[in-house]
Amino acid sequence: MNNKLYGNLIFELSHPGRRGYSLPKNTFGHHEIPSNIKRSTDAALPECDEMTVVRHYTNHSENNFGVDNGFYPLGSCTMKYNPIINEEVAAMPSFSNIHPLQPEHTVQGALEAEYNLQRALSALTGLADFTLNPYAGAHGELTGLMIIRSYHQSRGDEKRKKVIVPDSAHGTNPASAAVCGLEIVEVKSTSEGLVDVEDLKPLLGDDIAGMMMTNPNTLGLFETDIPEIAKLVHECGGLMYYDGANLNPLLGVARPGDMGFDVMHINLHKTFSTPHGGGGPGSGPVGVREDLVRFLPKPHVVKTSEGFTTEKGCETEYNVESSHVSTFLGNFLVSLRAYVYILTLGKENIKMVGPLATLNANYVKECLKDVYELPIDVLCKHEFVFDGLKDKSTGITTMDVAKRLLDYGYHAPTIYFPLLFHEAMMIEPTENESKETIDSFISIMRTIAQEAHDTPEIVKDAPRTTPIGRVDDVLAAKHPVVTYRQMLQEAQ
Ligand SMILES: *Cc1c(COP(=O)(O)O)cnc(C)c1O
């Protein structure tokens, strides 16, 4: 849509005196606002009629791309379809209008839903109990590491300050460890893309608090040496942390708790279909094995003979620092969506999620590996990584391919991550896409590979059909123009 006509900012469309609403008549009587908190000038709010406001936001929203309007193969992000029923339940006033400080006997249904979700996550992962409090995957990692730290402190084992993180890990892993005050020790990957056990052995010692592993890892590969790794880490006194942000391919197939992991987080906003993108709302529940349950943050929903209640205080002196990681019970409506998703699929259907996600990823990989470079050619899980085009003579980069996909109406895959390859392109189709959608994506990817050969300038110039063309990344990073006013000034 033509943004010039409708304006970039609602403020540009403002005309003094225009109104899109009328406030109801004051029936509360006149109450003078104390002068010390009363503003002296009017707020600079836009003044627009209702239709202008509707068009302005509708046109902007149409510039948006989401799972609801197109294929979104963003690897490591599991941009899966968010079923409408999740939204309908989350919007029910009996859930959306409750207050966290309401007496517990008035919100038994909400607490029961939370409790049941905790139980369902335990059943799916093989861990004893979960907290739903963390707001995101990274927040879950931090919470989990705090639990690990509290565990060591509770045993008077103060010198364990190091966390082992594989070189293929998501950037949040080392970041969370650093925020938790732990030192990061990197373990290398083998040429097959798996954690190198030989590289790991010399890193282990009595200063290791734990090891973080992602499985399937960020290359979409199942870490086959987990039993041995878990044994080695446990023998040296460390705990095993499972980054379960991408649990999708394992749902109903394998459980981290059975593999020897002690603590894990899950991204409800990936695996469990709650919306994500644009910064939230997310949810990163953390699960622990039995003897770590006492370190879970509070409040925590439990079931008693009288009904559902929340444990609030700290049970031990050791969980003080991990006792509160969020206000109340985290993003309740996100938890609720995940619970609805689990119930909608049911015990049997949820077992199809992992195999279908895996099938779809392998299908895309096999159909494209003759034109895109596949550095690790093995059976993948829910996602896989190409290293740019196979024909390196075209000069067309992964960035060019990603931009060209936008012209064809697709979201780009994750690019230049993981850092193990120069031209990484990480593709994750998810389980919900039809064969027709996947086939047309494959066909467009092949078309772009052909264009790279025949008409490379078209690919270099992409995108041409989006509201904004190719952005100069370096300029954008070095000289960001982040406000509209700044943009106007620069334009003058
Ligand atoms: C997405 C992701 C995270 C981080 O989750 P956020 O909710 O974005 O904080 C961590 N680890 C892996 C492997 C991920 O894919």
Side-chain angles (χ1 to χ4, degrees):
M1 192 41 73
N2 184 345
N3 279 331
K4 290 220 173 49
L5 190 59
Y6 292 102
N8 283 304
L9 289 185
I10 191 75
F11 290 91
E12 282 181 284
L13 306 176
S14 175
H15 285 278
R18 294 256 167 99
R19 287 284 175 273
Y21 64 91
S22 51
L23 288 175
K25 226 173 151 174
N26 175 7
T27 53
F28 297 102
H30 188 70
H31 298 278
E32 197 54 51
I33 296 169
S35 58
N36 60 330
I37 58 166
K38 202 169 170 179
R39 63 163 57 247
S40 52
T41 51
D42 282 345
L45 297 175
E47 298 179 70
C48 299
D49 59 280
E50 181 173 324
M51 191 161 77
T52 300
V53 174
V54 168
R55 284 188 182 155
H56 174 77
Y57 287 109
T58 305
N59 288 325
H60 273 316
S61 75
E62 284 174 0
N63 285 331
N64 211 352
F65 192 97
V67 210
D68 283 358
N69 57 356
F71 187 57
Y72 209 133
L74 198 67
S76 190
C77 289
T78 313
M79 300 300 289
K80 72 162 74 171
Y81 175 62
N82 313 139
I84 305 289
I85 187 173
N86 295 358
E87 297 307 313
E88 284 182 352
V89 173
M92 286 176 175
S94 43
F95 286 125
S96 63
N97 285 351
I98 58 180
H99 193 280
L101 294 179
Q102 234 169 284
E104 282 182 351
H105 73 269
T106 67
V107 288
Q108 282 296 300
L111 292 177
E112 182 174 0
E114 294 263 292
Y115 179 80
N116 289 349
L117 177 61
Q118 289 168 195
R119 298 315 313 145
L121 296 180
S122 284
L124 285 162
T125 57
L127 287 165
D129 205 354
F130 268 82
T131 170
L132 307 176
N133 298 10
Y135 290 124
H139 195 194
E141 291 168 26
L142 176 63
T143 304
L145 291 168
M146 285 160 80
I147 290 170
I148 291 178
R149 194 176 56 184
S150 299
Y151 163 79
H152 292 307
Q153 281 170 358
S154 75
R155 297 154 47 92
D157 201 351
E158 302 281 347
K159 61 186 173 307
R160 295 188 181 269
K161 294 264 185 268
K162 291 183 178 167
V163 169
I164 300 172
V165 180
D167 59 2
S168 64
H170 195 272
T172 50
N173 288 191
S176 305
V179 171
C180 194
L182 297 163
E183 196 185 314
I184 296 109
V185 185
E186 193 177 272
V187 56
K188 294 202 169 42
S189 302
T190 62
S191 55
E192 285 86 48
L194 302 177
V195 167
D196 188 339
V197 181
E198 290 314 311
D199 192 60
L200 173 69
K201 283 178 183 163
L203 306 177
L204 297 168
D206 61 4
D207 54 351
I208 296 298
M211 170 160 179
M212 299 179 87
M213 275 186 87
T214 307
N215 187 45
N217 66 22
T218 47
L219 292 167
L221 306 178
F222 194 95
E223 292 280 0
T224 47
D225 291 327
I226 288 174
E228 188 185 353
I229 294 171
K231 186 167 164 277
L232 290 168
V233 172
H234 284 146
E235 272 169 9
C236 91
L239 297 188
M240 288 293 285
Y241 184 90
Y242 190 100
D243 178 337
N246 300 318
L247 199 66
N248 217 31
L250 263 65
L251 271 192
V253 180
R255 309 194 308 168
D258 300 336
M259 299 176 199
F261 287 94
D262 310 295
V263 184
M264 78 174 294
H265 83 268
I266 289 175
N267 278 21
L268 294 186
H269 48 292
K270 290 178 179 169
T271 312
F272 292 93
S273 90
T274 74
H276 91 283
S283 179
V286 171
V288 292
R289 69 175 199 213
E290 191 70 52
D291 64 321
L292 299 174
V293 171
R294 62 194 180 113
F295 298 113
L296 285 179
K298 304 291 182 292
H300 181 236
V301 182
V302 290
K303 190 177 179 179
T304 68
S305 52
E306 278 104 72
F308 299 91
T309 182
T310 54
E311 295 175 333
K312 293 183 190 74
C314 305
E315 274 194 345
T316 73
E317 60 185 297
Y318 305 114
N319 63 0
V320 175
E321 53 187 348
S322 64
S323 62
H324 280 277
V325 297
S326 62
T327 48
F328 311 109
L329 291 163
N331 271 330
F332 168 63
L333 294 177
V334 174
S335 302
L336 193 60
R337 286 175 173 95
Y339 181 48
V340 173
Y341 175 73
I342 293 171
L343 289 184
T344 308
L345 285 180
K347 227 180 204 164
E348 288 310 312
N349 289 327
I350 209 161
K351 292 182 187 156
M352 295 298 290
V353 171
L356 284 176
T358 302
L359 176 66
N360 287 354
N362 279 286
Y363 178 65
V364 176
K365 169 172 72 70
E366 292 302 313
C367 291
L368 289 174
K369 72 178 188 186
D370 60 322
V371 282
Y372 290 88
E373 183 75 42
L374 182 64
I376 299 179
D377 189 358
V378 293
L379 194 72
C380 66
K381 291 294 159 204
H382 60 304
E383 63 190 359
F384 63 91
V385 181
F386 281 137
D387 189 10
L389 282 160
K390 195 148 203 167
D391 181 358
K392 300 288 181 211
S393 70
T394 62
I396 294 299
T397 63
T398 281
M399 179 66 86
D400 300 328
V401 175
K403 297 287 186 193
R404 186 62 178 148
L405 269 172
L406 308 184
D407 278 339
Y408 287 110
Y410 292 91
H411 197 282
T414 297
I415 57 171
Y416 299 108
F417 177 82
L419 306 176
L420 299 174
F421 311 111
H422 285 300
E423 293 292 328
M425 188 188 289
M426 190 179 195
I427 297 175
E428 177 181 11
T430 82
E431 68 279 10
N432 297 308
E433 300 295 343
S434 68
K435 180 158 184 301
E436 292 74 36
T437 306
I438 293 180
D439 279 338
S440 48
F441 172 72
I442 290 167
S443 128
I444 291 303
M445 286 292 279
R446 298 190 72 86
T447 302
I448 296 173
Q450 193 61 42
E451 286 175 346
H453 190 265
D454 301 343
T455 49
E457 59 296 341
I458 292 186
V459 187
K460 277 262 163 244
D461 279 357
R464 294 154 182 246
T465 60
T466 50
I468 293 174
R470 181 81 66 113
V471 176
D472 183 334
D473 293 319
V474 178
L475 192 66
K478 296 281 175 207
H479 184 71
V481 177
V482 291
T483 67
Y484 188 62
R485 194 166 292 156
Q486 192 186 353
M487 190 179 97
L488 289 182
Q489 278 162 5
E490 307 240 336
Q492 274 166 12

PDB file of all heavy atoms in Angstrom, residues 76-77 136-139 141 170 172-173 214 218 243 245-246 265 267 269-270, ligand 1:
ATOM      1  N   SER A  76      15.483 -22.805  13.487  1.00  0.00           N
ATOM      2  CA  SER A  76      15.725 -22.593  14.910  1.00  0.00           C
ATOM      3  C   SER A  76      14.608 -21.807  15.583  1.00  0.00           C
ATOM      4  O   SER A  76      14.634 -21.603  16.787  1.00  0.00           O
ATOM      5  CB  SER A  76      17.065 -21.880  15.159  1.00  0.00           C
ATOM      6  OG  SER A  76      17.360 -21.915  16.544  1.00  0.00           O
ATOM      7  N   CYS A  77      13.622 -21.372  14.820  1.00  0.00           N
ATOM      8  CA  CYS A  77      12.554 -20.552  15.413  1.00  0.00           C
ATOM      9  C   CYS A  77      11.215 -21.271  15.497  1.00  0.00           C
ATOM     10  O   CYS A  77      10.318 -20.817  16.197  1.00  0.00           O
ATOM     11  CB  CYS A  77      12.377 -19.260  14.631  1.00  0.00           C
ATOM     12  SG  CYS A  77      13.751 -18.140  14.895  1.00  0.00           S
ATOM     13  N   ALA A 136      10.676 -16.329  28.484  1.00  0.00           N
ATOM     14  CA  ALA A 136      11.234 -16.636  27.159  1.00  0.00           C
ATOM     15  C   ALA A 136      12.240 -17.760  27.307  1.00  0.00           C
ATOM     16  O   ALA A 136      12.577 -18.167  28.428  1.00  0.00           O
ATOM     17  CB  ALA A 136      11.921 -15.401  26.581  1.00  0.00           C
ATOM     18  N   GLY A 137      12.738 -18.235  26.164  1.00  0.00           N
ATOM     19  CA  GLY A 137      13.733 -19.301  26.197  1.00  0.00           C
ATOM     20  C   GLY A 137      14.980 -18.862  26.954  1.00  0.00           C
ATOM     21  O   GLY A 137      15.465 -19.577  27.849  1.00  0.00           O
ATOM     22  N   ALA A 138      15.491 -17.700  26.622  1.00  0.00           N
ATOM     23  CA  ALA A 138      16.711 -17.216  27.277  1.00  0.00           C
ATOM     24  C   ALA A 138      16.479 -17.036  28.772  1.00  0.00           C
ATOM     25  O   ALA A 138      17.349 -17.333  29.596  1.00  0.00           O
ATOM     26  CB  ALA A 138      17.154 -15.897  26.647  1.00  0.00           C
ATOM     27  N   HIS A 139      15.287 -16.580  29.125  1.00  0.00           N
ATOM     28  CA  HIS A 139      14.938 -16.405  30.542  1.00  0.00           C
ATOM     29  C   HIS A 139      14.880 -17.768  31.243  1.00  0.00           C
ATOM     30  O   HIS A 139      15.304 -17.909  32.399  1.00  0.00           O
ATOM     31  CB  HIS A 139      13.588 -15.682  30.619  1.00  0.00           C
ATOM     32  CG  HIS A 139      13.266 -15.131  31.965  1.00  0.00           C
ATOM     33  ND1 HIS A 139      12.016 -14.702  32.295  1.00  0.00           N
ATOM     34  CD2 HIS A 139      14.032 -14.950  33.069  1.00  0.00           C
ATOM     35  CE1 HIS A 139      12.018 -14.287  33.558  1.00  0.00           C
ATOM     36  NE2 HIS A 139      13.236 -14.429  34.039  1.00  0.00           N
ATOM     37  N   GLU A 141      16.701 -20.349  30.322  1.00  0.00           N
ATOM     38  CA  GLU A 141      18.105 -20.757  30.482  1.00  0.00           C
ATOM     39  C   GLU A 141      18.686 -20.138  31.751  1.00  0.00           C
ATOM     40  O   GLU A 141      19.344 -20.818  32.546  1.00  0.00           O
ATOM     41  CB  GLU A 141      18.946 -20.286  29.284  1.00  0.00           C
ATOM     42  CG  GLU A 141      18.628 -20.998  27.990  1.00  0.00           C
ATOM     43  CD  GLU A 141      19.285 -20.294  26.799  1.00  0.00           C
ATOM     44  OE1 GLU A 141      20.308 -19.617  26.984  1.00  0.00           O
ATOM     45  OE2 GLU A 141      18.755 -20.420  25.687  1.00  0.00           O
ATOM     46  N   HIS A 170      23.106 -21.979  20.389  1.00  0.00           N
ATOM     47  CA  HIS A 170      22.385 -20.731  20.183  1.00  0.00           C
ATOM     48  C   HIS A 170      23.069 -19.664  21.047  1.00  0.00           C
ATOM     49  O   HIS A 170      23.492 -19.953  22.163  1.00  0.00           O
ATOM     50  CB  HIS A 170      20.944 -20.940  20.651  1.00  0.00           C
ATOM     51  CG  HIS A 170      19.983 -19.895  20.190  1.00  0.00           C
ATOM     52  ND1 HIS A 170      19.759 -18.743  20.888  1.00  0.00           N
ATOM     53  CD2 HIS A 170      19.189 -19.840  19.100  1.00  0.00           C
ATOM     54  CE1 HIS A 170      18.852 -18.022  20.240  1.00  0.00           C
ATOM     55  NE2 HIS A 170      18.493 -18.669  19.159  1.00  0.00           N
ATOM     56  N   THR A 172      22.085 -17.464  22.878  1.00  0.00           N
ATOM     57  CA  THR A 172      21.550 -17.207  24.219  1.00  0.00           C
ATOM     58  C   THR A 172      22.231 -18.071  25.276  1.00  0.00           C
ATOM     59  O   THR A 172      22.263 -17.681  26.449  1.00  0.00           O
ATOM     60  CB  THR A 172      20.031 -17.481  24.269  1.00  0.00           C
ATOM     61  OG1 THR A 172      19.787 -18.769  23.708  1.00  0.00           O
ATOM     62  CG2 THR A 172      19.254 -16.431  23.508  1.00  0.00           C
ATOM     63  N   ASN A 173      22.778 -19.230  24.900  1.00  0.00           N
ATOM     64  CA  ASN A 173      23.386 -20.118  25.902  1.00  0.00           C
ATOM     65  C   ASN A 173      24.568 -19.449  26.611  1.00  0.00           C
ATOM     66  O   ASN A 173      24.542 -19.301  27.844  1.00  0.00           O
ATOM     67  CB  ASN A 173      23.817 -21.449  25.293  1.00  0.00           C
ATOM     68  CG  ASN A 173      22.656 -22.375  24.932  1.00  0.00           C
ATOM     69  OD1 ASN A 173      22.825 -23.534  24.618  1.00  0.00           O
ATOM     70  ND2 ASN A 173      21.433 -21.845  24.957  1.00  0.00           N
ATOM     71  N   THR A 214      22.034 -28.591  23.277  1.00  0.00           N
ATOM     72  CA  THR A 214      20.821 -28.387  22.503  1.00  0.00           C
ATOM     73  C   THR A 214      20.627 -29.643  21.674  1.00  0.00           C
ATOM     74  O   THR A 214      21.574 -30.125  21.060  1.00  0.00           O
ATOM     75  CB  THR A 214      20.964 -27.162  21.578  1.00  0.00           C
ATOM     76  OG1 THR A 214      21.361 -26.052  22.372  1.00  0.00           O
ATOM     77  CG2 THR A 214      19.667 -26.840  20.885  1.00  0.00           C
ATOM     78  N   THR A 218      21.803 -27.035  16.838  1.00  0.00           N
ATOM     79  CA  THR A 218      21.398 -25.976  15.902  1.00  0.00           C
ATOM     80  C   THR A 218      21.697 -26.321  14.453  1.00  0.00           C
ATOM     81  O   THR A 218      21.381 -25.543  13.565  1.00  0.00           O
ATOM     82  CB  THR A 218      22.050 -24.634  16.267  1.00  0.00           C
ATOM     83  OG1 THR A 218      23.419 -24.864  16.507  1.00  0.00           O
ATOM     84  CG2 THR A 218      21.435 -24.020  17.494  1.00  0.00           C
ATOM     85  N   ASP A 243      18.837 -27.479  26.398  1.00  0.00           N
ATOM     86  CA  ASP A 243      18.151 -26.376  25.725  1.00  0.00           C
ATOM     87  C   ASP A 243      17.085 -27.001  24.835  1.00  0.00           C
ATOM     88  O   ASP A 243      17.373 -27.528  23.766  1.00  0.00           O
ATOM     89  CB  ASP A 243      19.159 -25.560  24.899  1.00  0.00           C
ATOM     90  CG  ASP A 243      18.497 -24.420  24.131  1.00  0.00           C
ATOM     91  OD1 ASP A 243      17.280 -24.506  23.881  1.00  0.00           O
ATOM     92  OD2 ASP A 243      19.198 -23.454  23.776  1.00  0.00           O
ATOM     93  N   ALA A 245      14.511 -25.491  23.437  1.00  0.00           N
ATOM     94  CA  ALA A 245      13.760 -24.507  22.647  1.00  0.00           C
ATOM     95  C   ALA A 245      13.185 -25.175  21.409  1.00  0.00           C
ATOM     96  O   ALA A 245      12.073 -24.882  20.987  1.00  0.00           O
ATOM     97  CB  ALA A 245      14.662 -23.338  22.260  1.00  0.00           C
ATOM     98  N   ASN A 246      13.967 -26.076  20.828  1.00  0.00           N
ATOM     99  CA  ASN A 246      13.521 -26.768  19.614  1.00  0.00           C
ATOM    100  C   ASN A 246      13.167 -28.217  19.906  1.00  0.00           C
ATOM    101  O   ASN A 246      13.740 -29.137  19.359  1.00  0.00           O
ATOM    102  CB  ASN A 246      14.611 -26.713  18.553  1.00  0.00           C
ATOM    103  CG  ASN A 246      14.950 -25.294  18.183  1.00  0.00           C
ATOM    104  OD1 ASN A 246      14.068 -24.464  18.041  1.00  0.00           O
ATOM    105  ND2 ASN A 246      16.227 -25.008  18.036  1.00  0.00           N
ATOM    106  N   HIS A 265      14.820 -26.218  29.582  1.00  0.00           N
ATOM    107  CA  HIS A 265      13.727 -25.282  29.307  1.00  0.00           C
ATOM    108  C   HIS A 265      13.076 -25.678  27.987  1.00  0.00           C
ATOM    109  O   HIS A 265      13.666 -26.364  27.159  1.00  0.00           O
ATOM    110  CB  HIS A 265      14.206 -23.832  29.271  1.00  0.00           C
ATOM    111  CG  HIS A 265      14.786 -23.395  27.963  1.00  0.00           C
ATOM    112  ND1 HIS A 265      16.135 -23.470  27.680  1.00  0.00           N
ATOM    113  CD2 HIS A 265      14.201 -22.888  26.849  1.00  0.00           C
ATOM    114  CE1 HIS A 265      16.346 -23.024  26.454  1.00  0.00           C
ATOM    115  NE2 HIS A 265      15.199 -22.666  25.915  1.00  0.00           N
ATOM    116  N   ASN A 267      10.517 -23.880  24.870  1.00  0.00           N
ATOM    117  CA  ASN A 267       9.905 -22.650  24.375  1.00  0.00           C
ATOM    118  C   ASN A 267       8.466 -22.944  23.982  1.00  0.00           C
ATOM    119  O   ASN A 267       8.225 -23.570  22.953  1.00  0.00           O
ATOM    120  CB  ASN A 267      10.669 -22.106  23.157  1.00  0.00           C
ATOM    121  CG  ASN A 267      11.890 -21.304  23.547  1.00  0.00           C
ATOM    122  OD1 ASN A 267      12.404 -21.457  24.647  1.00  0.00           O
ATOM    123  ND2 ASN A 267      12.335 -20.448  22.660  1.00  0.00           N
ATOM    124  N   HIS A 269       6.523 -20.879  22.900  1.00  0.00           N
ATOM    125  CA  HIS A 269       6.270 -20.091  21.691  1.00  0.00           C
ATOM    126  C   HIS A 269       6.966 -20.676  20.470  1.00  0.00           C
ATOM    127  O   HIS A 269       6.968 -20.073  19.419  1.00  0.00           O
ATOM    128  CB  HIS A 269       6.670 -18.632  21.909  1.00  0.00           C
ATOM    129  CG  HIS A 269       8.024 -18.444  22.513  1.00  0.00           C
ATOM    130  ND1 HIS A 269       8.318 -18.807  23.802  1.00  0.00           N
ATOM    131  CD2 HIS A 269       9.158 -17.945  22.005  1.00  0.00           C
ATOM    132  CE1 HIS A 269       9.573 -18.532  24.048  1.00  0.00           C
ATOM    133  NE2 HIS A 269      10.123 -18.013  22.981  1.00  0.00           N
ATOM    134  N   LYS A 270       7.563 -21.825  20.583  1.00  0.00           N
ATOM    135  CA  LYS A 270       8.025 -22.531  19.390  1.00  0.00           C
ATOM    136  C   LYS A 270       7.261 -23.854  19.314  1.00  0.00           C
ATOM    137  O   LYS A 270       6.298 -23.982  18.584  1.00  0.00           O
ATOM    138  CB  LYS A 270       9.536 -22.771  19.456  1.00  0.00           C
ATOM    139  CG  LYS A 270      10.341 -21.484  19.307  1.00  0.00           C
ATOM    140  CD  LYS A 270      11.830 -21.721  19.411  1.00  0.00           C
ATOM    141  CE  LYS A 270      12.584 -20.408  19.241  1.00  0.00           C
ATOM    142  NZ  LYS A 270      14.009 -20.553  19.592  1.00  0.00           N
TER     143      LYS A 270
HETATM  144  C1  LIG B   1      15.008 -19.673  20.149  1.00  0.00           C
HETATM  145  C2  LIG B   1      16.067 -20.358  20.873  1.00  0.00           C
HETATM  146  C3  LIG B   1      16.490 -19.896  22.133  1.00  0.00           C
HETATM  147  C4  LIG B   1      16.011 -18.605  22.756  1.00  0.00           C
HETATM  148  O1  LIG B   1      14.644 -18.494  22.963  1.00  0.00           O
HETATM  149  P1  LIG B   1      14.010 -17.052  23.196  1.00  0.00           P
HETATM  150  O2  LIG B   1      12.599 -17.309  23.562  1.00  0.00           O
HETATM  151  O3  LIG B   1      14.144 -16.305  21.909  1.00  0.00           O
HETATM  152  O4  LIG B   1      14.753 -16.369  24.298  1.00  0.00           O
HETATM  153  C5  LIG B   1      17.447 -20.637  22.789  1.00  0.00           C
HETATM  154  N1  LIG B   1      17.985 -21.745  22.256  1.00  0.00           N
HETATM  155  C6  LIG B   1      17.616 -22.196  21.041  1.00  0.00           C
HETATM  156  C7  LIG B   1      18.238 -23.452  20.503  1.00  0.00           C
HETATM  157  C8  LIG B   1      16.643 -21.526  20.311  1.00  0.00           C
HETATM  158  O5  LIG B   1      16.288 -21.967  19.103  1.00  0.00           O
END
